[in-house]
Amino acid sequence: MSSIPDYPSIPWNETLYKQVEEDDLFAFTVTNLNQCFDGREEALLDFIHTHPNISNLRNNPSAILDTIDEFGRTKDFLMTLGPAKRGIIKSLMAEQRPKVLMDVGAYVGYSALTLGCIVLDLYPGAKSSEVKVFSFEKEPKCAAITSSFVELAGLKGVVDVVVGSADVEFRRLTEEGTLTSVDMLLLDHWEKLYVDDLKVVEELGLLKEGSVIVADNVVCPGAPEYLEYVRGGKASEKP
C-alpha cells in the first residue's frame, strides 16, 4: 500500500489531496496550494550550489538528482519526476536505446539530467553530435536553473536547454536543421498542451518508426484529451 510522501512543507489534508494508485506508483494532486514559482526554485538553486557535498555533485548527474530529491523531501515539494518514474524511464531507455530525445517541460532540470545521464550510460564516449537531449522550458528563470544544473552535471555538450514556447521552438529548430527526428519524446509540462504539441511534432515529421512518446501525469492530475488522442490511434495517422 502506498503512503503519502514526507514533504514537511505540505501538511496532509484530505480535502486538498487525492490519492491515485496505478501500477504500484503513487501520485497525488494538490489543489489550492502553490506548487511552483513561489521562490522554491531559487531556493533549490541555492541548496544545490551551497550543499556541503558540492564537490561530489560536480560531473555527477545522478548525485545531483538525488540531492534535488533530498530538497523535495526535507525542504519543499517539487514538481519533478522523482526517483520511481526516473527508474521507469531508465528501464524504457535501456530497452529502446534512444539517441535523440526531446524533454518538454524542463522545470528545474530534473528530467533533463535524467535523460542526459541515462543516454550517456547507454552510449559511453558518444560525441554530442551522436546523442542529444533537447530540453524545452518556457519560463526563463527555470531554464536558467536547468542550465546551471546541466553545467554542474557535466552534461553541457549533451543537453541543450531551449527557452521559449515548445511549439515555436520545435518549428525553429526544425527549420534550422538542428532537429530532424526524435527517438523519444517526453511530455511533462502543462497537460492541456500535450495534444497540441504532439500534433506539431507529427506535422514536422519528427517522429519515425520506433519513436517512443512518454507522457507524465496522465492519470493525476490527468490528461484526458491526450489519452483520447493516442488511444484513438490518431497519433499514428498520417495526414
Side-chain angles (χ1 to χ4, degrees):
M1 183 71 176
S2 299
S3 59
I4 303 300
D6 182 18
Y7 292 113
S9 62
I10 305 181
W12 165 253
N13 184 320
E14 64 182 0
T15 66
L16 298 180
Y17 293 77
K18 179 176 67 176
Q19 181 172 334
V20 177
E21 291 188 11
E22 178 158 302
D23 299 330
D24 296 325
L25 288 179
F26 174 78
F28 62 93
T29 61
V30 184
T31 57
N32 300 324
L33 286 174
N34 290 327
Q35 297 185 72
C36 58
F37 309 131
D38 58 357
R40 70 187 67 196
E41 294 82 13
E42 291 86 348
L44 170 67
L45 183 65
D46 291 340
F47 182 79
I48 294 293
H49 283 284
T50 61
H51 199 277
N53 292 325
I54 183 65
S55 61
N56 295 327
L57 302 184
R58 298 189 189 281
N59 301 313
N60 191 341
S62 293
I64 297 173
L65 289 166
D66 291 341
T67 308
I68 295 174
D69 289 331
E70 177 190 343
F71 179 93
R73 289 192 309 270
T74 64
K75 301 295 183 181
D76 219 336
F77 172 75
L78 293 169
M79 296 190 303
T80 62
L81 290 171
K85 292 178 182 178
R86 187 169 129 204
I88 291 173
I89 288 178
K90 182 175 182 179
S91 296
L92 180 62
M93 289 179 63
E95 178 183 342
Q96 300 295 326
R97 300 187 66 81
K99 288 187 174 181
V100 179
L101 304 95
M102 294 169 64
D103 164 37
V104 187
Y107 185 41
V108 293
Y110 194 99
S111 51
L113 296 188
T114 296
L115 300 181
C117 175
I118 297 171
V119 79
L120 280 187
D121 285 344
L122 291 174
Y123 301 101
K127 300 178 181 178
S128 59
S129 59
E130 298 171 330
V131 295
K132 183 67 68 176
V133 176
F134 295 95
S135 186
F136 298 86
E137 176 52 53
K138 185 176 182 179
E139 295 292 333
K141 286 184 179 180
C142 286
I145 292 171
T146 296
S147 295
S148 175
F149 292 162
V150 166
E151 184 170 2
L152 180 64
L155 294 174
K156 194 171 181 180
V158 174
V159 178
D160 286 355
V161 180
V162 185
V163 188
S165 296
D167 57 338
V168 174
E169 296 306 313
F170 294 166
R171 295 184 188 280
R172 178 180 66 82
L173 293 176
T174 302
E175 290 171 0
E176 292 175 352
T178 304
L179 184 59
T180 57
S181 66
V182 59
D183 299 315
M184 179 175 286
L185 169 65
L186 172 61
L187 299 171
D188 190 18
H189 54 320
W190 190 30
E191 293 79 13
K192 291 186 179 296
L193 293 178
Y194 282 11
V195 173
D196 290 345
D197 286 344
L198 176 55
K199 285 181 177 179
V200 174
V201 172
E202 292 178 298
E203 174 194 333
L204 295 172
L206 295 175
L207 297 179
K208 59 185 180 181
E209 184 176 354
S211 294
V212 176
I213 304 169
V214 180
D216 194 18
N217 302 320
V218 296
V219 174
C220 182
E225 298 89 353
Y226 170 82
L227 291 177
E228 181 182 3
Y229 184 71
V230 295
R231 287 173 175 170
K234 297 177 183 178
S236 62
E237 292 177 358
K238 298 296 183 183

